[in-house]
Amino acid sequence: MGKREDNAIATRQSLIEAADHLIVQKGYENISVDDIVKTSGIAKGTFYNYFERKEDLIFELSKEHFAKLNTQTILSEQDDPIIIIKKYLIDFMSVIFNSKIELARQWVRYISFSETNSNKWQFDVQSFEQLLMKLIDADKLKVNTPVHQLAQLFLTEMYGVIFTWCISPKTVDPIATVKRFCDLQLSALLQPYLINA
Amino acid sequence: MGKREDNAIATRQSLIEAADHLIVQKGYENISVDDIVKTSGIAKGTFYNYFERKEDLIFELSKEHFAKLNTQTILSEQDDPIIIIKKYLIDFMSVIFNSKIELARQWVRYISFSETNSNKWQFDVQSFEQLLMKLIDADKLKVNTPVHQLAQLFLTEMYGVIFTWCISPKTVDPIATVKRFCDLQLSALLQPYLINA
Amino acid sequence: MGKREDNAIATRQSLIEAADHLIVQKGYENISVDDIVKTSGIAKGTFYNYFERKEDLIFELSKEHFAKLNTQTILSEQDDPIIIIKKYLIDFMSVIFNSKIELARQWVRYISFSETNSNKWQFDVQSFEQLLMKLIDADKLKVNTPVHQLAQLFLTEMYGVIFTWCISPKTVDPIATVKRFCDLQLSALLQPYLINA
Amino acid sequence: MGKREDNAIATRQSLIEAADHLIVQKGYENISVDDIVKTSGIAKGTFYNYFERKEDLIFELSKEHFAKLNTQTILSEQDDPIIIIKKYLIDFMSVIFNSKIELARQWVRYISFSETNSNKWQFDVQSFEQLLMKLIDADKLKVNTPVHQLAQLFLTEMYGVIFTWCISPKTVDPIATVKRFCDLQLSALLQPYLINA
DNA sequence: TATGAATGAGTCTTCATTCAT
DNA sequence: AATGAATGAAGACTCATTCAT
C-alpha cells in the first residue's frame, strides 16, 4: 500500500538484483554480503532486516534466477505432436543457450550442490509432463502414454546437453544436438503412443 | 634404504586420503587445510611441503577421481552389438554410481567449472568411439556407422543421467535410467547400422 | 550528533597511535596487525574496516611522521644572515633529534626505499631555498646567490648527519655536528654572497 | 688442509654468495633461508651446520657485502694534499655510484637498521683518518690537524650524498656533488692546516 | 657432514553477523 | 526501517628451526 512498503520492496529487490548481478561475475561461492551491499548501495545492517542469513538471499535468488531459465509452455496450434515436442525442447534449450555460458555453468554448479536445489529439475519434469498431458487431452497421444517416464527421459537428455555444453562448449552445439536428438529418436520413442488422425 | 622416502610418500598419501575423506563429508569448498592436517595428524607446515597451495591438492584429487571414473573398455565376447553396448554403458554408469554421490557431485562441479577440464569428456567420447570401431571391425556394425555422432549422443545421455542423479538422487536411479534408455532407444538408434549375421 | 562518527575517528586514531608506539619499540618490519590491535584493544576485524591492508596504515604513519619532521620556516628578526641560517639548520636538526632515534631510523629506511618517497627531500630543499630567497629579498644576500646549489649542499649535509646519527648514535652528536659544520663552513660558503650593511 | 675442509669452505661460501645475490634482488628483510638454500642448491639442514641462526649469515654477509664498497686507500704521488683528498673522495663515491642504486639502497636500509651495523661507518672514518695521517707524515698537513673531526665532517658529507642519491637519484648526481663540495669547501676547510712547500 | 621432512607459532586477510544509534 | 562500526572465528600461507637418517 503505502510508500513505506513500496520502499521496502524496492530495497529488497535492489539486494536481490545486486546479488544476481554478482553471481554471474563471481559465482555462487564467491559473493559476500559486503559485495552485495556495496553494489546495491544499501547499508550492511539493512541486509539483515530483509534476510536472516545470507543463505536466505541465495535461496530467494535461485528462485528468481532460474525462473529466467524456465520455458513458457505454449501449446502451439500445430497438429503433429512430434513437432510440438521438438519445438518445446528447442525452446527450452534456446533459453539456456541464449543466456551466457557462465550463467549456465553457475547454474550447473549450484544445482548440483545439494539435493535442496532439485526444484528446478522437478519443475522441468513436471512442465514437460504437463505438455504431454495436454497432448493426451487433445487426443494427440494415447492415454497410456508413460508420461513421467518420457518426461524424465527427455529432460535427462536436455540436462546432459547443458552439462556437456558447459564442459566443452567448443565441441558441443546445444541446439544442434537437441535437433539431432529429436530427428533420430523422437518418432521411435513416441511411435507406440501416437494417435493417427 | 628409502626409509625417509617411504615416510614422505606415506605423508603425502595421508594428506590426500584425509582430503578425499573430508570432501565426501563436506564438499569441495568446505574443506580447509586445517581440517586436512588435523584429520591426517600432520603438521600444517608439512602440508605446504607437499602442495604449494591448497588448490594443488584439490587438483591432485581430481586426477585420482578421474582415473577411478574411467571405464575399462573390455570388448566382451558377446555376439549382439546391442548387448555389448548396453553392457558398456551400464558398466560406465556403475563406476560412477558406486562412487559416493558426493564424489560425483564434486566431479560435476569441478568439470563444469571451465573448459580446461574438458579432457574427461573428450576421453569418454573417444573411448566410446573406439568401442564402436571395434564393432565395425568385428563386422557387427556397418562401416558407414556415424561413430562420432553416436558416441556424442550416447555420452550426452550418460552425462545427463549423472547430472540429474546429482540433482535429485531420490527421484533418479542412474542404473535403471541407463537400462531404460538402452531398452527404449538402442535398437531404434542402431537399427540402420546393424549387420545381421 | 556525531557520536558514531566520533567513535570511528577515535578508533582509527587508536590504531594509528598503537602502531606509532609499536614502531618505535620494534621497528617497521616487526609490527604485526595482531600487535596493533592488541595494543589498542580493538578487534582485528575492525582494523580492516579502516585500512584495506597493513601497508595502508604504515603509509598513513609515514605521512604523520613527515609532517612532524617539517620545520617551520620562521624568519627571525636577527640581523646576521649567517646566524639566521645557523638557527634554521639547528632547528631542523632538533626536530629530528627530539624525535626518537627509532623514528629517524624508520624514516631513513622508508625514505630511501624508492624514488616515490622523494617528496620530503624535495620539500626540504625548497623550504631552504625559500629561506635564502627571503634573505635576498631582505637585502642580506646578493641576488646572484646560487640558491638551489646552496640549498642542496646544506641539506645534503643535514641528511648526512641524520644518516650517520642513525648508523652510529654513540659517536655522532647531530646538534653538535651541525654547529661545527656552521662554524667551520658557513662563513666561507656564504662570504661571496654577503651584503655588508 | 684436506679436501673436507675445502669443501666445507666452499659450501659456506656458496651460502653467502647466494644470500648476497638475493639481497640485491629482494632486500634484507625479504630473503628466507629457503630462498638461500634453493639458490645455492644446498640442503636446508646444511645451512644450520654453518650458521646457528639466519641472522649470523646476515652479519657475515654485511662484512662481505660492504667490503665491496670499500675504497682502496692509495696515496698518490701527487703533491697537493687538496688534490689527493679530492681524488680520494671521488674514488669513494665512484665505488658506490658504480654499484647499482639498488645495492646502495639496500645498504642504506641495512646500515641504518641498528647500531650493530655501524662498522662500515667506523671503518670509513678510520680509513680517512689514516689518509690524513699519511699526509701529516708526509709533511703536507700540520701535526695539529684535527684528524678525527675532519674525517667525520667529510664522511658525513659523503654519507649525505649517498643518502640523498638514494632518495632522489634524478635530482642528485653523486659525483658532481662531491666535486662541487671539494671545490667550494676543501681549501677553506684545510687552509689552516696546510704546509706550503 | 649432508640431507630434507616435519614442525607449529605466527602472519595477513576475509566475512557473516550483531547492535547501538 | 536504515545505518555502518565492531566483532572474532576461521582461512590460507610463511618460515626459522629441529632432528632422524
Side-chain angles (χ1 to χ4, degrees):
Chain A
M1 288 258 90
K3 221 177 192 171
R4 268 231 299 258
E5 279 88 352
D6 285 355
N7 277 341
I9 289 169
T11 303
R12 187 189 169 84
Q13 199 53 32
S14 293
L15 290 168
I16 291 178
E17 273 163 23
D20 189 52
H21 189 241
L22 286 164
I23 270 185
V24 178
Q25 294 182 330
K26 316 179 84 186
Y28 269 99
E29 288 80 18
N30 305 314
I31 52 172
S32 66
V33 174
D34 241 272
D35 284 336
I36 296 169
V37 296
K38 254 174 214 152
T39 302
S40 61
I42 284 164
K44 186 133 72 164
T46 307
F47 181 95
Y48 287 89
N49 290 337
Y50 290 95
F51 304 97
E52 280 205 5
R53 25 205 75 259
K54 184 190 164 194
E55 256 192 346
D56 293 352
L57 170 60
I58 301 293
F59 181 70
E60 197 76 6
L61 195 59
S62 71
K63 286 196 293 187
E64 294 256 341
H65 200 182
F66 302 146
K68 284 186 204 164
L69 297 180
N70 286 339
T71 315
Q72 302 299 326
T73 316
I74 298 164
L75 188 51
S76 71
E77 288 308 309
Q78 202 67 40
D79 257 4
D80 188 351
I82 290 184
I83 291 177
I84 291 173
I85 289 173
K86 183 175 176 182
K87 187 175 180 318
Y88 180 89
L89 293 177
I90 289 173
D91 280 355
F92 178 94
M93 192 56 67
S94 298
V95 171
I96 286 157
F97 183 64
N98 290 332
S99 74
K100 296 264 171 277
I101 189 162
E102 271 314 315
L103 181 57
R105 278 197 180 124
Q106 297 298 348
W107 175 73
V108 167
R109 286 172 68 74
Y110 180 72
I111 209 173
S112 62
F113 189 64
S114 90
E115 287 173 53
T116 59
N117 304 325
S118 60
N119 319 40
K120 163 73 173 159
W121 164 251
Q122 315 272 16
F123 176 83
D124 283 342
V125 172
Q126 277 163 31
S127 299
F128 197 82
E129 285 174 7
Q130 279 164 20
L131 173 66
L132 293 178
M133 289 191 306
K134 282 186 193 167
L135 290 172
I136 292 171
D137 288 346
D139 280 329
K140 291 181 175 167
L141 288 179
K142 293 184 186 165
V143 288
N144 70 337
T145 311
V147 169
H148 183 63
Q149 217 174 87
L150 285 179
Q152 274 214 324
L153 193 152
F154 284 12
L155 265 303
T156 298
E157 178 69 24
M158 292 301 106
Y159 274 50
V161 173
I162 298 170
F163 185 23
T164 54
W165 178 50
C166 290
I167 295 170
S168 187
K170 280 175 190 150
T171 68
V172 175
D173 175 338
I175 306 293
T177 307
V178 172
K179 282 184 182 161
R180 206 181 320 130
F181 168 79
C182 292
D183 294 341
L184 285 174
Q185 301 173 70
L186 221 50
S187 33
L189 284 165
L190 293 176
Q191 197 60 51
Y193 313 112
L194 291 178
I195 295 175
N196 290 323
Chain B
M1 254 298 89
K3 197 165 185 182
R4 263 211 322 219
E5 282 85 353
D6 286 354
N7 277 341
I9 289 169
T11 302
R12 187 190 167 87
Q13 202 52 32
S14 293
L15 290 169
I16 291 179
E17 274 164 24
D20 193 53
H21 189 241
L22 285 165
I23 269 186
V24 176
Q25 292 182 333
K26 316 178 84 184
Y28 251 53
E29 277 78 16
N30 304 313
I31 55 172
S32 67
V33 174
D34 245 85
D35 285 335
I36 295 170
V37 296
K38 257 172 211 155
T39 301
S40 58
I42 283 166
K44 181 119 68 129
T46 306
F47 181 95
Y48 288 92
N49 288 341
Y50 291 93
F51 305 98
E52 283 203 6
R53 25 205 78 260
K54 185 189 163 192
E55 253 193 348
D56 291 356
L57 171 59
I58 303 292
F59 182 68
E60 199 77 2
L61 267 181
S62 305
K63 283 199 296 188
E64 295 223 353
H65 289 172
F66 285 161
K68 278 189 209 162
L69 294 179
N70 285 339
T71 314
Q72 303 299 326
T73 315
I74 298 162
L75 188 51
S76 70
E77 287 309 309
Q78 202 67 38
D79 256 4
D80 187 351
I82 290 183
I83 291 176
I84 290 173
I85 290 172
K86 182 175 175 181
K87 188 177 178 316
Y88 180 88
L89 293 178
I90 288 173
D91 280 356
F92 179 94
M93 192 54 68
S94 298
V95 172
I96 286 157
F97 183 65
N98 290 332
S99 71
K100 296 262 176 288
I101 188 162
E102 269 308 321
L103 183 57
R105 278 201 180 116
Q106 302 305 347
W107 174 74
V108 166
R109 312 191 70 211
Y110 180 77
I111 208 176
S112 63
F113 190 63
S114 91
E115 286 174 55
T116 59
N117 304 325
S118 61
N119 318 38
K120 165 71 174 161
W121 163 251
Q122 315 272 17
F123 176 82
D124 284 340
V125 171
Q126 277 165 30
S127 299
F128 197 82
E129 286 175 7
Q130 280 164 19
L131 173 67
L132 292 178
M133 290 192 305
K134 282 186 193 167
L135 291 172
I136 292 171
D137 289 345
D139 281 329
K140 291 180 177 168
L141 290 178
K142 293 185 184 162
V143 288
N144 69 336
T145 310
V147 169
H148 184 63
Q149 218 173 86
L150 286 179
Q152 273 214 326
L153 193 152
F154 285 12
L155 265 303
T156 299
E157 178 69 24
M158 293 301 104
Y159 274 51
V161 173
I162 297 169
F163 185 23
T164 55
W165 177 50
C166 290
I167 296 169
S168 187
K170 282 175 189 148
T171 68
V172 174
D173 175 338
I175 305 295
T177 307
V178 172
K179 282 183 183 162
R180 205 180 319 129
F181 168 79
C182 292
D183 294 340
L184 285 176
Q185 301 174 68
L186 223 49
S187 34
L189 283 165
L190 293 177
Q191 197 60 51
Y193 313 112
L194 292 178
I195 297 174
N196 290 322
Chain C
M1 256 304 88
K3 197 166 184 182
R4 263 212 320 219
E5 281 85 353
D6 287 354
N7 278 341
I9 290 168
T11 302
R12 188 191 167 86
Q13 202 52 33
S14 293
L15 290 169
I16 290 179
E17 274 163 24
D20 193 52
H21 189 240
L22 285 165
I23 269 186
V24 176
Q25 292 183 332
K26 316 178 82 182
Y28 252 52
E29 277 78 18
N30 304 313
I31 54 171
S32 67
V33 174
D34 243 86
D35 285 335
I36 296 170
V37 297
K38 258 173 210 152
T39 301
S40 59
I42 283 166
K44 182 119 68 129
T46 306
F47 181 95
Y48 287 91
N49 288 341
Y50 291 94
F51 306 98
E52 283 203 4
R53 24 205 78 260
K54 185 189 164 191
E55 255 192 348
D56 291 355
L57 171 59
I58 302 293
F59 182 68
E60 198 76 3
L61 266 181
S62 306
K63 284 199 295 187
E64 295 225 353
H65 288 174
F66 285 162
K68 278 190 209 161
L69 293 179
N70 285 339
T71 314
Q72 302 300 326
T73 315
I74 297 163
L75 189 51
S76 71
E77 287 309 309
Q78 203 66 40
D79 257 6
D80 188 350
I82 289 184
I83 292 177
I84 291 173
I85 289 173
K86 183 175 176 180
K87 188 178 178 317
Y88 181 89
L89 294 177
I90 289 173
D91 280 356
F92 179 93
M93 193 54 68
S94 298
V95 172
I96 285 156
F97 183 63
N98 291 332
S99 71
K100 297 264 177 284
I101 189 163
E102 268 309 320
L103 184 56
R105 278 200 180 119
Q106 302 306 346
W107 175 74
V108 165
R109 313 192 70 212
Y110 181 76
I111 207 176
S112 63
F113 189 64
S114 92
E115 287 173 54
T116 58
N117 304 325
S118 62
N119 318 39
K120 165 72 173 160
W121 163 251
Q122 316 272 18
F123 177 83
D124 283 341
V125 171
Q126 278 165 30
S127 298
F128 198 82
E129 286 176 7
Q130 280 165 20
L131 173 66
L132 293 177
M133 289 189 309
K134 281 186 192 169
L135 291 171
I136 292 172
D137 288 347
D139 280 330
K140 292 181 174 169
L141 289 178
K142 294 184 184 164
V143 288
N144 69 337
T145 310
V147 169
H148 184 63
Q149 220 173 84
L150 287 179
Q152 274 215 325
L153 193 151
F154 285 12
L155 264 304
T156 298
E157 178 70 24
M158 293 301 106
Y159 274 52
V161 173
I162 298 169
F163 185 23
T164 55
W165 177 51
C166 289
I167 295 169
S168 188
K170 282 177 189 147
T171 68
V172 174
D173 176 338
I175 305 294
T177 306
V178 172
K179 282 183 182 161
R180 205 182 318 130
F181 168 80
C182 292
D183 294 341
L184 284 174
Q185 302 174 69
L186 222 49
S187 31
L189 284 165
L190 293 176
Q191 198 60 51
Y193 314 111
L194 291 177
I195 295 174
N196 290 323
Chain D
M1 276 273 89
K3 221 175 193 174
R4 267 230 301 256
E5 278 88 353
D6 285 356
N7 276 342
I9 289 169
T11 303
R12 187 189 170 85
Q13 200 52 31
S14 292
L15 289 169
I16 291 178
E17 274 164 22
D20 189 51
H21 189 243
L22 286 165
I23 270 185
V24 179
Q25 294 182 331
K26 316 179 83 186
Y28 268 100
E29 288 79 17
N30 305 315
I31 53 173
S32 66
V33 174
D34 240 272
D35 284 335
I36 296 170
V37 298
K38 253 174 215 154
T39 302
S40 61
I42 284 164
K44 185 132 74 164
T46 307
F47 181 95
Y48 287 89
N49 291 336
Y50 290 95
F51 304 97
E52 281 205 4
R53 25 205 75 261
K54 184 190 164 191
E55 256 192 347
D56 294 352
L57 170 61
I58 300 292
F59 180 71
E60 196 77 6
L61 196 58
S62 71
K63 286 195 293 187
E64 294 256 342
H65 200 183
F66 303 146
K68 284 185 205 165
L69 297 179
N70 286 339
T71 314
Q72 303 301 325
T73 315
I74 297 163
L75 188 51
S76 72
E77 288 308 310
Q78 202 66 38
D79 257 3
D80 187 351
I82 290 183
I83 292 177
I84 291 173
I85 290 172
K86 182 175 174 180
K87 188 176 179 317
Y88 180 89
L89 294 178
I90 288 172
D91 281 356
F92 179 93
M93 192 55 68
S94 298
V95 171
I96 286 155
F97 184 65
N98 290 333
S99 74
K100 295 267 172 275
I101 190 163
E102 269 315 314
L103 181 57
R105 278 199 179 120
Q106 297 299 347
W107 174 73
V108 166
R109 288 170 66 74
Y110 181 72
I111 209 173
S112 62
F113 189 64
S114 90
E115 289 173 53
T116 59
N117 304 325
S118 60
N119 320 39
K120 163 73 173 161
W121 163 250
Q122 315 273 18
F123 176 83
D124 283 341
V125 172
Q126 278 164 30
S127 299
F128 197 82
E129 285 175 8
Q130 281 165 20
L131 173 66
L132 291 178
M133 289 192 306
K134 281 187 193 167
L135 290 173
I136 292 171
D137 289 347
D139 280 329
K140 290 180 176 168
L141 289 178
K142 293 183 184 165
V143 287
N144 70 337
T145 310
V147 169
H148 184 63
Q149 219 173 84
L150 286 178
Q152 275 214 324
L153 193 152
F154 285 12
L155 265 304
T156 299
E157 178 70 22
M158 292 301 106
Y159 274 51
V161 173
I162 299 169
F163 185 23
T164 55
W165 178 50
C166 289
I167 296 169
S168 188
K170 280 174 191 152
T171 69
V172 174
D173 176 340
I175 305 294
T177 306
V178 172
K179 282 183 183 162
R180 205 180 320 129
F181 168 80
C182 292
D183 294 341
L184 284 173
Q185 300 174 70
L186 223 49
S187 32
L189 284 165
L190 293 176
Q191 196 60 50
Y193 314 112
L194 290 177
I195 295 174
N196 289 323

